[in-house]
Amino acid sequence: MIQCQNITPRFARHCCLLFSIFTIFITTTLAFDYADALTKSLLYFEAQRSGRLPYNQRVSWRDNSGLIDGLEQGVDLVGGYYDAGDHVKFGLPMAFTVTMLSWGVIEFRDQIGRAGELPHALEAIKWGTDYLIKAHTSPNVLWAEVGDGDTDHYCWQRPEDMTTSRQAYKIDENNPGSDLAGETAAAMAAASIVFRRTNPYYSHLLLHHAQQLFEFGDKYRGKYDASVKEAKSYYTSVSGFMDELLWGAMWLYKATDNEDYLNYVISNAQSFGGIGWAMSEFSWDVKYAGLQILASKLVMDEKQKKHRDILEEYHSKAKYYVCSCLNKNNGSNVDRTPAGLLHIRQWNNMQYVSTAVFLLTIYSDILRNSNQKLECNGELVDDEEIHIFAKSQVDYILGGNPMNTSYLVGYGQKYPTRVHHRGASIVSYRENKGFIGCTQGYDNWYSREENNPNVLVGALVGGPDSQDHFSDNRANYMQSEACTYNTAPLVGVFANLLSLDHHTHDDQLLLASY
């Protein structure tokens, strides 16, 4: 390191200038292009679109698909998102994807806007909410799934060629699904906040649906996968429905400022596990950590003095989550790979990394805005330390890892080229409209050793194993498949890091001028 002590004043300015230039060089050399990552993350959602594609579709290798969804049931279920590399539309992960995209825009709207990506972020959310509105055909009916996972997995086809079942499944008064209803209510409530300024009518419509869905889910309680058994093998609701009801109520409170929803979160805090469960993961299934972070923001709100004791208990559990990610709990911490990546599960681990990065970023902001520090097992942690750790996880995703691989497809010089994804792995329908059947897809495309003909730009794949190893293999679906809920939390994070990068660069230039 350059030292500027014990030198004459004559050379002090030159030494400091040299040090500043050295700092800028090192920072720039190691920097990642968060603007590019942000742009590409939003492109991914266009690749996952089902239905009739719009005129401004940018992912040109995709075409219309799923145009008769719901026809057999007499409802219009065209649209929405395929959740991963297959062609089933699963309601629970789709709604969570919309919630996380919306939360990212709520928190980082200005940063996304300055990057020129706000229109694309709003389009990504609206493509999801337009479908969720269609799926909510009456106050106590919500269509939960289109397609059948078992038959879909026997086929390797482009979505444009789909020949598999498009049977649709619903929840209703006799077949409840409080977890699905609660998450969909959360998605619509969060999106209503996003569109409040730019599209007030649409915002009001979303809020109306959110309120009806929450009331339905709360009145007719039960797990959705007990009613829609076809979902159980793919998206089992392990955590049950109580976290989603609390989560939905919290988002409705944020959207309406109606104290009834906050009272629900407070009065059910203990019995529903909101202040009982200390979590070390946040996902499409387990919402407690996200709920606890939202409650932590309310602790700083002077309006909530009468609920302060319960909110502080929520906050205590949020602290546990953050400390477990930072490896500073006295007990249960999130495991890490040798290179430092958070590791929760072998299958699609990156989904837990991206949600953790999002919550850590939000909590870092909470500390900074309130001028507080976090205590983890007697050690004080400031907002900057949390931010640095969150950034380290993002940088690992973008290529700062032992494999020197970006796990965000299309970003950087090296990234997965054999992603487990039907549409990406087969020649584009727009280039070759010849029909490709189920077995033909497996025989001629799935088993190919060559790279996918289409790049699934912006997809965050499942990522490396617990030892930082990754096999870029189409058949290695635990690592090479991507999901919408992997990428969704990163949209706001990329925008925030990009904004902070600009401030850092400006500060460095200012320093260099002295």
mmCIF file with all atom_site columns, all heavy atoms in Angstrom, residues 149-173:
data_model
loop_
_atom_site.group_PDB
_atom_site.id
_atom_site.type_symbol
_atom_site.label_atom_id
_atom_site.label_alt_id
_atom_site.label_comp_id
_atom_site.label_asym_id
_atom_site.label_entity_id
_atom_site.label_seq_id
_atom_site.pdbx_PDB_ins_code
_atom_site.Cartn_x
_atom_site.Cartn_y
_atom_site.Cartn_z
_atom_site.occupancy
_atom_site.B_iso_or_equiv
_atom_site.pdbx_formal_charge
_atom_site.auth_seq_id
_atom_site.auth_comp_id
_atom_site.auth_asym_id
_atom_site.auth_atom_id
_atom_site.pdbx_PDB_model_num
ATOM 1   N N   . GLY A 1 149 ? -47.441 -31.287 -14.404 1.00 0.00 ? 149 GLY A N   1
ATOM 2   C CA  . GLY A 1 149 ? -45.998 -31.476 -14.293 1.00 0.00 ? 149 GLY A CA  1
ATOM 3   C C   . GLY A 1 149 ? -45.522 -32.835 -14.764 1.00 0.00 ? 149 GLY A C   1
ATOM 4   O O   . GLY A 1 149 ? -44.457 -32.942 -15.381 1.00 0.00 ? 149 GLY A O   1
ATOM 5   N N   . ASP A 1 150 ? -46.300 -33.869 -14.497 1.00 0.00 ? 150 ASP A N   1
ATOM 6   C CA  . ASP A 1 150 ? -45.867 -35.220 -14.865 1.00 0.00 ? 150 ASP A CA  1
ATOM 7   C C   . ASP A 1 150 ? -45.800 -35.392 -16.372 1.00 0.00 ? 150 ASP A C   1
ATOM 8   O O   . ASP A 1 150 ? -44.780 -35.842 -16.916 1.00 0.00 ? 150 ASP A O   1
ATOM 9   C CB  . ASP A 1 150 ? -46.805 -36.257 -14.248 1.00 0.00 ? 150 ASP A CB  1
ATOM 10  C CG  . ASP A 1 150 ? -46.681 -36.317 -12.726 1.00 0.00 ? 150 ASP A CG  1
ATOM 11  O OD1 . ASP A 1 150 ? -45.650 -35.851 -12.205 1.00 0.00 ? 150 ASP A OD1 1
ATOM 12  O OD2 . ASP A 1 150 ? -47.610 -36.817 -12.080 1.00 0.00 ? 150 ASP A OD2 1
ATOM 13  N N   . THR A 1 151 ? -46.891 -35.056 -17.083 1.00 0.00 ? 151 THR A N   1
ATOM 14  C CA  . THR A 1 151 ? -46.865 -35.213 -18.540 1.00 0.00 ? 151 THR A CA  1
ATOM 15  C C   . THR A 1 151 ? -45.891 -34.236 -19.183 1.00 0.00 ? 151 THR A C   1
ATOM 16  O O   . THR A 1 151 ? -45.223 -34.565 -20.162 1.00 0.00 ? 151 THR A O   1
ATOM 17  C CB  . THR A 1 151 ? -48.274 -35.004 -19.136 1.00 0.00 ? 151 THR A CB  1
ATOM 18  O OG1 . THR A 1 151 ? -48.758 -33.709 -18.775 1.00 0.00 ? 151 THR A OG1 1
ATOM 19  C CG2 . THR A 1 151 ? -49.245 -36.055 -18.630 1.00 0.00 ? 151 THR A CG2 1
ATOM 20  N N   . ASP A 1 152 ? -45.789 -33.035 -18.609 1.00 0.00 ? 152 ASP A N   1
ATOM 21  C CA  . ASP A 1 152 ? -44.867 -32.040 -19.154 1.00 0.00 ? 152 ASP A CA  1
ATOM 22  C C   . ASP A 1 152 ? -43.429 -32.554 -19.105 1.00 0.00 ? 152 ASP A C   1
ATOM 23  O O   . ASP A 1 152 ? -42.650 -32.327 -20.029 1.00 0.00 ? 152 ASP A O   1
ATOM 24  C CB  . ASP A 1 152 ? -44.984 -30.732 -18.372 1.00 0.00 ? 152 ASP A CB  1
ATOM 25  C CG  . ASP A 1 152 ? -44.116 -29.622 -18.940 1.00 0.00 ? 152 ASP A CG  1
ATOM 26  O OD1 . ASP A 1 152 ? -42.935 -29.548 -18.533 1.00 0.00 ? 152 ASP A OD1 1
ATOM 27  O OD2 . ASP A 1 152 ? -44.601 -28.864 -19.783 1.00 0.00 ? 152 ASP A OD2 1
ATOM 28  N N   . HIS A 1 153 ? -43.081 -33.259 -18.040 1.00 0.00 ? 153 HIS A N   1
ATOM 29  C CA  . HIS A 1 153 ? -41.705 -33.717 -17.889 1.00 0.00 ? 153 HIS A CA  1
ATOM 30  C C   . HIS A 1 153 ? -41.377 -34.941 -18.741 1.00 0.00 ? 153 HIS A C   1
ATOM 31  O O   . HIS A 1 153 ? -40.220 -35.331 -18.841 1.00 0.00 ? 153 HIS A O   1
ATOM 32  C CB  . HIS A 1 153 ? -41.394 -33.983 -16.409 1.00 0.00 ? 153 HIS A CB  1
ATOM 33  C CG  . HIS A 1 153 ? -41.129 -32.724 -15.646 1.00 0.00 ? 153 HIS A CG  1
ATOM 34  N ND1 . HIS A 1 153 ? -42.078 -31.740 -15.461 1.00 0.00 ? 153 HIS A ND1 1
ATOM 35  C CD2 . HIS A 1 153 ? -40.012 -32.252 -15.033 1.00 0.00 ? 153 HIS A CD2 1
ATOM 36  C CE1 . HIS A 1 153 ? -41.558 -30.742 -14.771 1.00 0.00 ? 153 HIS A CE1 1
ATOM 37  N NE2 . HIS A 1 153 ? -40.306 -31.027 -14.498 1.00 0.00 ? 153 HIS A NE2 1
ATOM 38  N N   . TYR A 1 154 ? -42.390 -35.534 -19.365 1.00 0.00 ? 154 TYR A N   1
ATOM 39  C CA  . TYR A 1 154 ? -42.136 -36.601 -20.332 1.00 0.00 ? 154 TYR A CA  1
ATOM 40  C C   . TYR A 1 154 ? -41.785 -36.032 -21.708 1.00 0.00 ? 154 TYR A C   1
ATOM 41  O O   . TYR A 1 154 ? -41.368 -36.764 -22.589 1.00 0.00 ? 154 TYR A O   1
ATOM 42  C CB  . TYR A 1 154 ? -43.360 -37.512 -20.465 1.00 0.00 ? 154 TYR A CB  1
ATOM 43  C CG  . TYR A 1 154 ? -43.533 -38.463 -19.310 1.00 0.00 ? 154 TYR A CG  1
ATOM 44  C CD1 . TYR A 1 154 ? -44.699 -38.460 -18.558 1.00 0.00 ? 154 TYR A CD1 1
ATOM 45  C CD2 . TYR A 1 154 ? -42.518 -39.366 -18.971 1.00 0.00 ? 154 TYR A CD2 1
ATOM 46  C CE1 . TYR A 1 154 ? -44.862 -39.340 -17.480 1.00 0.00 ? 154 TYR A CE1 1
ATOM 47  C CE2 . TYR A 1 154 ? -42.671 -40.238 -17.900 1.00 0.00 ? 154 TYR A CE2 1
ATOM 48  C CZ  . TYR A 1 154 ? -43.840 -40.219 -17.162 1.00 0.00 ? 154 TYR A CZ  1
ATOM 49  O OH  . TYR A 1 154 ? -43.991 -41.081 -16.101 1.00 0.00 ? 154 TYR A OH  1
ATOM 50  N N   . CYS A 1 155 ? -41.981 -34.747 -21.870 1.00 0.00 ? 155 CYS A N   1
ATOM 51  C CA  . CYS A 1 155 ? -41.791 -34.090 -23.168 1.00 0.00 ? 155 CYS A CA  1
ATOM 52  C C   . CYS A 1 155 ? -40.613 -33.123 -23.132 1.00 0.00 ? 155 CYS A C   1
ATOM 53  O O   . CYS A 1 155 ? -40.369 -32.480 -22.112 1.00 0.00 ? 155 CYS A O   1
ATOM 54  C CB  . CYS A 1 155 ? -43.047 -33.296 -23.534 1.00 0.00 ? 155 CYS A CB  1
ATOM 55  S SG  . CYS A 1 155 ? -44.105 -34.115 -24.727 1.00 0.00 ? 155 CYS A SG  1
ATOM 56  N N   . TRP A 1 156 ? -39.895 -33.038 -24.258 1.00 0.00 ? 156 TRP A N   1
ATOM 57  C CA  . TRP A 1 156 ? -38.881 -31.989 -24.416 1.00 0.00 ? 156 TRP A CA  1
ATOM 58  C C   . TRP A 1 156 ? -39.225 -31.243 -25.702 1.00 0.00 ? 156 TRP A C   1
ATOM 59  O O   . TRP A 1 156 ? -38.829 -31.615 -26.788 1.00 0.00 ? 156 TRP A O   1
ATOM 60  C CB  . TRP A 1 156 ? -37.472 -32.585 -24.471 1.00 0.00 ? 156 TRP A CB  1
ATOM 61  C CG  . TRP A 1 156 ? -36.419 -31.541 -24.273 1.00 0.00 ? 156 TRP A CG  1
ATOM 62  C CD1 . TRP A 1 156 ? -35.707 -30.889 -25.233 1.00 0.00 ? 156 TRP A CD1 1
ATOM 63  C CD2 . TRP A 1 156 ? -35.980 -31.002 -23.023 1.00 0.00 ? 156 TRP A CD2 1
ATOM 64  N NE1 . TRP A 1 156 ? -34.852 -29.978 -24.682 1.00 0.00 ? 156 TRP A NE1 1
ATOM 65  C CE2 . TRP A 1 156 ? -34.992 -30.028 -23.304 1.00 0.00 ? 156 TRP A CE2 1
ATOM 66  C CE3 . TRP A 1 156 ? -36.318 -31.246 -21.698 1.00 0.00 ? 156 TRP A CE3 1
ATOM 67  C CZ2 . TRP A 1 156 ? -34.348 -29.308 -22.309 1.00 0.00 ? 156 TRP A CZ2 1
ATOM 68  C CZ3 . TRP A 1 156 ? -35.672 -30.527 -20.703 1.00 0.00 ? 156 TRP A CZ3 1
ATOM 69  C CH2 . TRP A 1 156 ? -34.704 -29.571 -21.013 1.00 0.00 ? 156 TRP A CH2 1
ATOM 70  N N   . GLN A 1 157 ? -40.055 -30.193 -25.541 1.00 0.00 ? 157 GLN A N   1
ATOM 71  C CA  . GLN A 1 157 ? -40.573 -29.441 -26.679 1.00 0.00 ? 157 GLN A CA  1
ATOM 72  C C   . GLN A 1 157 ? -40.420 -27.948 -26.455 1.00 0.00 ? 157 GLN A C   1
ATOM 73  O O   . GLN A 1 157 ? -40.356 -27.486 -25.315 1.00 0.00 ? 157 GLN A O   1
ATOM 74  C CB  . GLN A 1 157 ? -42.080 -29.711 -26.867 1.00 0.00 ? 157 GLN A CB  1
ATOM 75  C CG  . GLN A 1 157 ? -42.454 -31.024 -27.473 1.00 0.00 ? 157 GLN A CG  1
ATOM 76  C CD  . GLN A 1 157 ? -43.968 -31.133 -27.593 1.00 0.00 ? 157 GLN A CD  1
ATOM 77  O OE1 . GLN A 1 157 ? -44.678 -31.114 -26.598 1.00 0.00 ? 157 GLN A OE1 1
ATOM 78  N NE2 . GLN A 1 157 ? -44.459 -31.250 -28.815 1.00 0.00 ? 157 GLN A NE2 1
ATOM 79  N N   . ARG A 1 158 ? -40.421 -27.208 -27.555 1.00 0.00 ? 158 ARG A N   1
ATOM 80  C CA  . ARG A 1 158 ? -40.550 -25.765 -27.449 1.00 0.00 ? 158 ARG A CA  1
ATOM 81  C C   . ARG A 1 158 ? -41.962 -25.434 -26.965 1.00 0.00 ? 158 ARG A C   1
ATOM 82  O O   . ARG A 1 158 ? -42.910 -26.171 -27.268 1.00 0.00 ? 158 ARG A O   1
ATOM 83  C CB  . ARG A 1 158 ? -40.313 -25.118 -28.812 1.00 0.00 ? 158 ARG A CB  1
ATOM 84  C CG  . ARG A 1 158 ? -38.962 -25.392 -29.410 1.00 0.00 ? 158 ARG A CG  1
ATOM 85  C CD  . ARG A 1 158 ? -38.820 -24.864 -30.825 1.00 0.00 ? 158 ARG A CD  1
ATOM 86  N NE  . ARG A 1 158 ? -39.728 -25.494 -31.773 1.00 0.00 ? 158 ARG A NE  1
ATOM 87  C CZ  . ARG A 1 158 ? -39.598 -25.429 -33.096 1.00 0.00 ? 158 ARG A CZ  1
ATOM 88  N NH1 . ARG A 1 158 ? -38.583 -24.744 -33.616 1.00 0.00 ? 158 ARG A NH1 1
ATOM 89  N NH2 . ARG A 1 158 ? -40.470 -26.008 -33.898 1.00 0.00 ? 158 ARG A NH2 1
ATOM 90  N N   . PRO A 1 159 ? -42.130 -24.339 -26.241 1.00 0.00 ? 159 PRO A N   1
ATOM 91  C CA  . PRO A 1 159 ? -43.490 -23.985 -25.806 1.00 0.00 ? 159 PRO A CA  1
ATOM 92  C C   . PRO A 1 159 ? -44.421 -23.756 -26.991 1.00 0.00 ? 159 PRO A C   1
ATOM 93  O O   . PRO A 1 159 ? -45.622 -24.012 -26.907 1.00 0.00 ? 159 PRO A O   1
ATOM 94  C CB  . PRO A 1 159 ? -43.286 -22.697 -24.995 1.00 0.00 ? 159 PRO A CB  1
ATOM 95  C CG  . PRO A 1 159 ? -41.939 -22.190 -25.377 1.00 0.00 ? 159 PRO A CG  1
ATOM 96  C CD  . PRO A 1 159 ? -41.130 -23.380 -25.753 1.00 0.00 ? 159 PRO A CD  1
ATOM 97  N N   . GLU A 1 160 ? -43.856 -23.315 -28.119 1.00 0.00 ? 160 GLU A N   1
ATOM 98  C CA  . GLU A 1 160 ? -44.667 -23.054 -29.313 1.00 0.00 ? 160 GLU A CA  1
ATOM 99  C C   . GLU A 1 160 ? -45.224 -24.341 -29.925 1.00 0.00 ? 160 GLU A C   1
ATOM 100 O O   . GLU A 1 160 ? -46.189 -24.294 -30.694 1.00 0.00 ? 160 GLU A O   1
ATOM 101 C CB  . GLU A 1 160 ? -43.834 -22.303 -30.353 1.00 0.00 ? 160 GLU A CB  1
ATOM 102 C CG  . GLU A 1 160 ? -43.388 -20.918 -29.925 1.00 0.00 ? 160 GLU A CG  1
ATOM 103 C CD  . GLU A 1 160 ? -42.119 -20.889 -29.070 1.00 0.00 ? 160 GLU A CD  1
ATOM 104 O OE1 . GLU A 1 160 ? -41.531 -21.978 -28.834 1.00 0.00 ? 160 GLU A OE1 1
ATOM 105 O OE2 . GLU A 1 160 ? -41.711 -19.796 -28.644 1.00 0.00 ? 160 GLU A OE2 1
ATOM 106 N N   . ASP A 1 161 ? -44.622 -25.490 -29.608 1.00 0.00 ? 161 ASP A N   1
ATOM 107 C CA  . ASP A 1 161 ? -45.052 -26.794 -30.149 1.00 0.00 ? 161 ASP A CA  1
ATOM 108 C C   . ASP A 1 161 ? -45.887 -27.600 -29.155 1.00 0.00 ? 161 ASP A C   1
ATOM 109 O O   . ASP A 1 161 ? -46.264 -28.729 -29.445 1.00 0.00 ? 161 ASP A O   1
ATOM 110 C CB  . ASP A 1 161 ? -43.823 -27.651 -30.510 1.00 0.00 ? 161 ASP A CB  1
ATOM 111 C CG  . ASP A 1 161 ? -43.068 -27.126 -31.709 1.00 0.00 ? 161 ASP A CG  1
ATOM 112 O OD1 . ASP A 1 161 ? -43.706 -26.556 -32.603 1.00 0.00 ? 161 ASP A OD1 1
ATOM 113 O OD2 . ASP A 1 161 ? -41.831 -27.284 -31.737 1.00 0.00 ? 161 ASP A OD2 1
ATOM 114 N N   . MET A 1 162 ? -46.160 -27.059 -28.003 1.00 0.00 ? 162 MET A N   1
ATOM 115 C CA  . MET A 1 162 ? -46.704 -27.818 -26.882 1.00 0.00 ? 162 MET A CA  1
ATOM 116 C C   . MET A 1 162 ? -47.835 -28.778 -27.244 1.00 0.00 ? 162 MET A C   1
ATOM 117 O O   . MET A 1 162 ? -48.836 -28.369 -27.838 1.00 0.00 ? 162 MET A O   1
ATOM 118 C CB  . MET A 1 162 ? -47.212 -26.839 -25.820 1.00 0.00 ? 162 MET A CB  1
ATOM 119 C CG  . MET A 1 162 ? -46.776 -27.180 -24.437 1.00 0.00 ? 162 MET A CG  1
ATOM 120 S SD  . MET A 1 162 ? -47.466 -26.073 -23.192 1.00 0.00 ? 162 MET A SD  1
ATOM 121 C CE  . MET A 1 162 ? -47.389 -24.480 -23.940 1.00 0.00 ? 162 MET A CE  1
ATOM 122 N N   . THR A 1 163 ? -47.693 -30.048 -26.877 1.00 0.00 ? 163 THR A N   1
ATOM 123 C CA  . THR A 1 163 ? -48.745 -31.043 -27.067 1.00 0.00 ? 163 THR A CA  1
ATOM 124 C C   . THR A 1 163 ? -49.178 -31.663 -25.745 1.00 0.00 ? 163 THR A C   1
ATOM 125 O O   . THR A 1 163 ? -50.036 -32.547 -25.728 1.00 0.00 ? 163 THR A O   1
ATOM 126 C CB  . THR A 1 163 ? -48.255 -32.171 -28.004 1.00 0.00 ? 163 THR A CB  1
ATOM 127 O OG1 . THR A 1 163 ? -47.075 -32.760 -27.453 1.00 0.00 ? 163 THR A OG1 1
ATOM 128 C CG2 . THR A 1 163 ? -47.972 -31.647 -29.396 1.00 0.00 ? 163 THR A CG2 1
ATOM 129 N N   . THR A 1 164 ? -48.595 -31.225 -24.663 1.00 0.00 ? 164 THR A N   1
ATOM 130 C CA  . THR A 1 164 ? -48.904 -31.794 -23.350 1.00 0.00 ? 164 THR A CA  1
ATOM 131 C C   . THR A 1 164 ? -50.209 -31.219 -22.802 1.00 0.00 ? 164 THR A C   1
ATOM 132 O O   . THR A 1 164 ? -50.736 -30.231 -23.317 1.00 0.00 ? 164 THR A O   1
ATOM 133 C CB  . THR A 1 164 ? -47.768 -31.501 -22.357 1.00 0.00 ? 164 THR A CB  1
ATOM 134 O OG1 . THR A 1 164 ? -47.458 -30.105 -22.407 1.00 0.00 ? 164 THR A OG1 1
ATOM 135 C CG2 . THR A 1 164 ? -46.536 -32.297 -22.692 1.00 0.00 ? 164 THR A CG2 1
ATOM 136 N N   . SER A 1 165 ? -50.705 -31.837 -21.746 1.00 0.00 ? 165 SER A N   1
ATOM 137 C CA  . SER A 1 165 ? -51.968 -31.421 -21.138 1.00 0.00 ? 165 SER A CA  1
ATOM 138 C C   . SER A 1 165 ? -51.912 -29.967 -20.676 1.00 0.00 ? 165 SER A C   1
ATOM 139 O O   . SER A 1 165 ? -50.928 -29.532 -20.086 1.00 0.00 ? 165 SER A O   1
ATOM 140 C CB  . SER A 1 165 ? -52.274 -32.320 -19.931 1.00 0.00 ? 165 SER A CB  1
ATOM 141 O OG  . SER A 1 165 ? -53.325 -31.782 -19.157 1.00 0.00 ? 165 SER A OG  1
ATOM 142 N N   . ARG A 1 166 ? -53.003 -29.252 -20.937 1.00 0.00 ? 166 ARG A N   1
ATOM 143 C CA  . ARG A 1 166 ? -53.145 -27.892 -20.401 1.00 0.00 ? 166 ARG A CA  1
ATOM 144 C C   . ARG A 1 166 ? -54.331 -27.840 -19.442 1.00 0.00 ? 166 ARG A C   1
ATOM 145 O O   . ARG A 1 166 ? -55.015 -26.816 -19.319 1.00 0.00 ? 166 ARG A O   1
ATOM 146 C CB  . ARG A 1 166 ? -53.317 -26.868 -21.543 1.00 0.00 ? 166 ARG A CB  1
ATOM 147 C CG  . ARG A 1 166 ? -52.176 -26.819 -22.525 1.00 0.00 ? 166 ARG A CG  1
ATOM 148 C CD  . ARG A 1 166 ? -50.830 -26.652 -21.861 1.00 0.00 ? 166 ARG A CD  1
ATOM 149 N NE  . ARG A 1 166 ? -50.591 -25.315 -21.345 1.00 0.00 ? 166 ARG A NE  1
ATOM 150 C CZ  . ARG A 1 166 ? -49.549 -24.997 -20.580 1.00 0.00 ? 166 ARG A CZ  1
ATOM 151 N NH1 . ARG A 1 166 ? -48.682 -25.940 -20.213 1.00 0.00 ? 166 ARG A NH1 1
ATOM 152 N NH2 . ARG A 1 166 ? -49.383 -23.761 -20.159 1.00 0.00 ? 166 ARG A NH2 1
ATOM 153 N N   . GLN A 1 167 ? -54.541 -28.946 -18.784 1.00 0.00 ? 167 GLN A N   1
ATOM 154 C CA  . GLN A 1 167 ? -55.557 -29.000 -17.737 1.00 0.00 ? 167 GLN A CA  1
ATOM 155 C C   . GLN A 1 167 ? -55.282 -27.905 -16.707 1.00 0.00 ? 167 GLN A C   1
ATOM 156 O O   . GLN A 1 167 ? -54.125 -27.652 -16.352 1.00 0.00 ? 167 GLN A O   1
ATOM 157 C CB  . GLN A 1 167 ? -55.512 -30.373 -17.055 1.00 0.00 ? 167 GLN A CB  1
ATOM 158 C CG  . GLN A 1 167 ? -56.443 -30.545 -15.871 1.00 0.00 ? 167 GLN A CG  1
ATOM 159 C CD  . GLN A 1 167 ? -57.892 -30.649 -16.261 1.00 0.00 ? 167 GLN A CD  1
ATOM 160 O OE1 . GLN A 1 167 ? -58.201 -31.204 -17.310 1.00 0.00 ? 167 GLN A OE1 1
ATOM 161 N NE2 . GLN A 1 167 ? -58.775 -30.099 -15.453 1.00 0.00 ? 167 GLN A NE2 1
ATOM 162 N N   . ALA A 1 168 ? -56.342 -27.245 -16.263 1.00 0.00 ? 168 ALA A N   1
ATOM 163 C CA  . ALA A 1 168 ? -56.197 -26.186 -15.267 1.00 0.00 ? 168 ALA A CA  1
ATOM 164 C C   . ALA A 1 168 ? -56.826 -26.626 -13.952 1.00 0.00 ? 168 ALA A C   1
ATOM 165 O O   . ALA A 1 168 ? -57.816 -27.365 -13.926 1.00 0.00 ? 168 ALA A O   1
ATOM 166 C CB  . ALA A 1 168 ? -56.851 -24.899 -15.757 1.00 0.00 ? 168 ALA A CB  1
ATOM 167 N N   . TYR A 1 169 ? -56.238 -26.166 -12.845 1.00 0.00 ? 169 TYR A N   1
ATOM 168 C CA  . TYR A 1 169 ? -56.662 -26.570 -11.505 1.00 0.00 ? 169 TYR A CA  1
ATOM 169 C C   . TYR A 1 169 ? -56.909 -25.322 -10.671 1.00 0.00 ? 169 TYR A C   1
ATOM 170 O O   . TYR A 1 169 ? -56.175 -24.342 -10.766 1.00 0.00 ? 169 TYR A O   1
ATOM 171 C CB  . TYR A 1 169 ? -55.587 -27.437 -10.844 1.00 0.00 ? 169 TYR A CB  1
ATOM 172 C CG  . TYR A 1 169 ? -55.160 -28.613 -11.699 1.00 0.00 ? 169 TYR A CG  1
ATOM 173 C CD1 . TYR A 1 169 ? -54.110 -28.472 -12.627 1.00 0.00 ? 169 TYR A CD1 1
ATOM 174 C CD2 . TYR A 1 169 ? -55.795 -29.840 -11.592 1.00 0.00 ? 169 TYR A CD2 1
ATOM 175 C CE1 . TYR A 1 169 ? -53.723 -29.547 -13.421 1.00 0.00 ? 169 TYR A CE1 1
ATOM 176 C CE2 . TYR A 1 169 ? -55.408 -30.921 -12.381 1.00 0.00 ? 169 TYR A CE2 1
ATOM 177 C CZ  . TYR A 1 169 ? -54.374 -30.762 -13.291 1.00 0.00 ? 169 TYR A CZ  1
ATOM 178 O OH  . TYR A 1 169 ? -53.990 -31.815 -14.081 1.00 0.00 ? 169 TYR A OH  1
ATOM 179 N N   . LYS A 1 170 ? -57.929 -25.376 -9.820  1.00 0.00 ? 170 LYS A N   1
ATOM 180 C CA  . LYS A 1 170 ? -58.312 -24.182 -9.061  1.00 0.00 ? 170 LYS A CA  1
ATOM 181 C C   . LYS A 1 170 ? -58.449 -24.491 -7.572  1.00 0.00 ? 170 LYS A C   1
ATOM 182 O O   . LYS A 1 170 ? -58.556 -25.646 -7.148  1.00 0.00 ? 170 LYS A O   1
ATOM 183 C CB  . LYS A 1 170 ? -59.642 -23.633 -9.591  1.00 0.00 ? 170 LYS A CB  1
ATOM 184 C CG  . LYS A 1 170 ? -60.832 -24.563 -9.350  1.00 0.00 ? 170 LYS A CG  1
ATOM 185 C CD  . LYS A 1 170 ? -62.116 -23.969 -9.917  1.00 0.00 ? 170 LYS A CD  1
ATOM 186 C CE  . LYS A 1 170 ? -63.288 -24.955 -9.720  1.00 0.00 ? 170 LYS A CE  1
ATOM 187 N NZ  . LYS A 1 170 ? -64.551 -24.416 -10.264 1.00 0.00 ? 170 LYS A NZ  1
ATOM 188 N N   . ILE A 1 171 ? -58.438 -23.428 -6.788  1.00 0.00 ? 171 ILE A N   1
ATOM 189 C CA  . ILE A 1 171 ? -58.833 -23.503 -5.383  1.00 0.00 ? 171 ILE A CA  1
ATOM 190 C C   . ILE A 1 171 ? -60.142 -22.733 -5.246  1.00 0.00 ? 171 ILE A C   1
ATOM 191 O O   . ILE A 1 171 ? -60.393 -21.767 -5.980  1.00 0.00 ? 171 ILE A O   1
ATOM 192 C CB  . ILE A 1 171 ? -57.759 -22.943 -4.432  1.00 0.00 ? 171 ILE A CB  1
ATOM 193 C CG1 . ILE A 1 171 ? -57.403 -21.485 -4.789  1.00 0.00 ? 171 ILE A CG1 1
ATOM 194 C CG2 . ILE A 1 171 ? -56.516 -23.810 -4.445  1.00 0.00 ? 171 ILE A CG2 1
ATOM 195 C CD1 . ILE A 1 171 ? -56.512 -20.792 -3.763  1.00 0.00 ? 171 ILE A CD1 1
ATOM 196 N N   . ASP A 1 172 ? -60.984 -23.182 -4.312  1.00 0.00 ? 172 ASP A N   1
ATOM 197 C CA  . ASP A 1 172 ? -62.259 -22.517 -4.063  1.00 0.00 ? 172 ASP A CA  1
ATOM 198 C C   . ASP A 1 172 ? -62.702 -22.804 -2.637  1.00 0.00 ? 172 ASP A C   1
ATOM 199 O O   . ASP A 1 172 ? -61.915 -23.302 -1.822  1.00 0.00 ? 172 ASP A O   1
ATOM 200 C CB  . ASP A 1 172 ? -63.321 -22.933 -5.096  1.00 0.00 ? 172 ASP A CB  1
ATOM 201 C CG  . ASP A 1 172 ? -63.521 -24.450 -5.168  1.00 0.00 ? 172 ASP A CG  1
ATOM 202 O OD1 . ASP A 1 172 ? -63.252 -25.137 -4.148  1.00 0.00 ? 172 ASP A OD1 1
ATOM 203 O OD2 . ASP A 1 172 ? -63.936 -24.953 -6.228  1.00 0.00 ? 172 ASP A OD2 1
ATOM 204 N N   . GLU A 1 173 ? -63.952 -22.536 -2.325  1.00 0.00 ? 173 GLU A N   1
ATOM 205 C CA  . GLU A 1 173 ? -64.436 -22.698 -0.958  1.00 0.00 ? 173 GLU A CA  1
ATOM 206 C C   . GLU A 1 173 ? -64.320 -24.149 -0.490  1.00 0.00 ? 173 GLU A C   1
ATOM 207 O O   . GLU A 1 173 ? -64.053 -24.415 0.690   1.00 0.00 ? 173 GLU A O   1
ATOM 208 C CB  . GLU A 1 173 ? -65.894 -22.235 -0.865  1.00 0.00 ? 173 GLU A CB  1
ATOM 209 C CG  . GLU A 1 173 ? -66.072 -20.747 -1.137  1.00 0.00 ? 173 GLU A CG  1
ATOM 210 C CD  . GLU A 1 173 ? -67.536 -20.348 -1.234  1.00 0.00 ? 173 GLU A CD  1
ATOM 211 O OE1 . GLU A 1 173 ? -68.408 -21.187 -0.911  1.00 0.00 ? 173 GLU A OE1 1
ATOM 212 O OE2 . GLU A 1 173 ? -67.818 -19.204 -1.630  1.00 0.00 ? 173 GLU A OE2 1
#
